[in-house]
Amino acid sequence: MIKAVIFDQDGLMFDTERISGIAWHQAEKEWGIHLEESFLKTIRGMNHQDARIRFEEVFGDSVDFMAFRGKKQEIFEALLERDGIPVKPGLYELLEYLEAQKIPAALASASRMEYTERNLEKTGIRRYFCHLVTGDMVSHAKPNPEIFWKAAELLGEKPEDCLVLEDSLNGVEAGLRGGFVTVMVPDLTQPEEELKKRVYRVCSSLLEVKEMLEAERAG
């Protein structure tokens, strides 16, 4: 029986990975480089330090990563300010269900705390989360499970009793390595057959996650 749920943020609760992709591609036009989707999917869920390492592996010192990322973030923030924060289908329903069932929820995101707090407040869901763990609170980013372990510790639960909800390959891998019940809700990246065998389940939406929990609690 699941005792707590740990949510990722970008790409899982909010449709922001798509906007991030738009921002990357707008920034790359100014820098004269091209980022393949196969590359972008490897850095989703990473903090900027680990993403920088991946950039250096691919581009060497030909790209000033921090300056390039800074431009991307500028575009990304402008898009969010203009269009608002897009909420994924089923998020509100799932959070309300967990609250009704008295199942605590935590958030574990590689993003910074200021950005996270703002998103939760603007979408009206801050009250559903008893704990927030962000990338600036841990030493190692996903696929290292440290951020999920930290969330489980704050929740007072063992990993095997916590459901981790993730959309990215790095996030899913972190959940699996950490010993969590890991469910993938794909966003921009679909799981390959081997990964489908390793996760507890692949759900098409957060609404399907709610239905899964309802069915399991019903026995």
Side-chain angles (χ1 to χ4, degrees):
M1 185 70 70
I2 294 299
K3 297 180 179 179
V5 179
I6 303 173
F7 288 73
D8 176 46
Q9 179 176 195
D10 295 291
L12 180 87
M13 299 198 305
F14 308 124
D15 192 12
T16 42
E17 290 292 11
R18 176 182 54 83
I19 298 172
S20 181
I22 293 171
W24 279 121
H25 291 311
Q26 287 188 15
E28 72 183 11
K29 292 177 182 177
E30 297 186 22
W31 286 70
I33 63 174
H34 178 63
L35 304 178
E36 297 285 351
E37 171 59 24
S38 58
F39 170 76
L40 287 175
K41 74 178 184 180
T42 67
I43 64 172
R44 291 187 186 117
M46 285 185 172
N47 61 18
H48 70 273
Q49 293 96 335
D50 288 346
R52 181 177 185 172
I53 293 172
R54 286 288 296 122
F55 260 79
E56 291 175 350
E57 290 173 352
V58 174
F59 296 102
D61 58 4
S62 64
V63 177
D64 183 339
F65 172 72
M66 294 308 292
F68 180 46
R69 180 180 179 275
K71 183 61 180 179
K72 173 261 180 182
Q73 285 299 111
E74 177 185 323
I75 297 169
F76 177 72
E77 294 288 349
L79 291 171
L80 288 184
E81 185 64 28
R82 185 191 72 185
D83 301 328
I85 302 166
V87 175
K88 284 297 196 92
L91 176 61
Y92 292 114
E93 292 89 340
L94 175 57
L95 290 172
E96 289 169 3
Y97 172 77
L98 295 176
E99 182 180 59
Q101 297 297 317
K102 295 182 170 53
I103 301 173
L107 182 148
S109 169
S111 297
R112 66 188 188 280
M113 181 63 77
E114 179 184 5
Y115 167 82
T116 300
E117 288 273 18
R118 183 194 67 188
N119 287 350
L120 299 183
E121 292 294 342
K122 284 191 172 183
T123 54
I125 61 173
R126 177 62 184 88
R127 70 182 182 85
Y128 292 104
F129 295 92
C130 54
H131 300 290
L132 306 179
V133 186
T134 53
D136 46 358
M137 298 170 63
V138 294
S139 301
H140 305 287
K142 305 167 188 176
N144 187 293
E146 181 187 2
I147 195 166
F148 290 139
W149 284 335
K150 177 68 173 177
E153 179 184 359
L154 292 171
L155 288 163
E157 301 294 350
K158 297 177 181 178
E160 59 265 31
D161 295 324
C162 295
L163 174 65
V164 159
L165 300 177
E166 266 287 356
D167 68 287
S168 72
L169 297 179
N170 285 316
V172 168
E173 190 62 37
L176 292 170
R177 291 182 187 180
F180 294 86
V181 179
T182 305
V183 168
M184 184 176 190
V185 185
D187 179 39
L188 300 181
T189 304
Q190 295 296 319
E192 296 182 353
E193 289 303 316
E194 183 58 35
L195 185 58
K196 289 180 181 179
K197 297 175 184 177
R198 297 174 61 209
V199 297
Y200 181 70
R201 190 169 299 183
V202 176
C203 291
S204 62
S205 70
L206 294 175
L207 192 59
E208 188 176 331
V209 174
K210 172 180 174 286
E211 293 167 351
M212 176 193 78
L213 291 173
E214 286 177 325
E216 292 183 353
R217 292 180 75 83

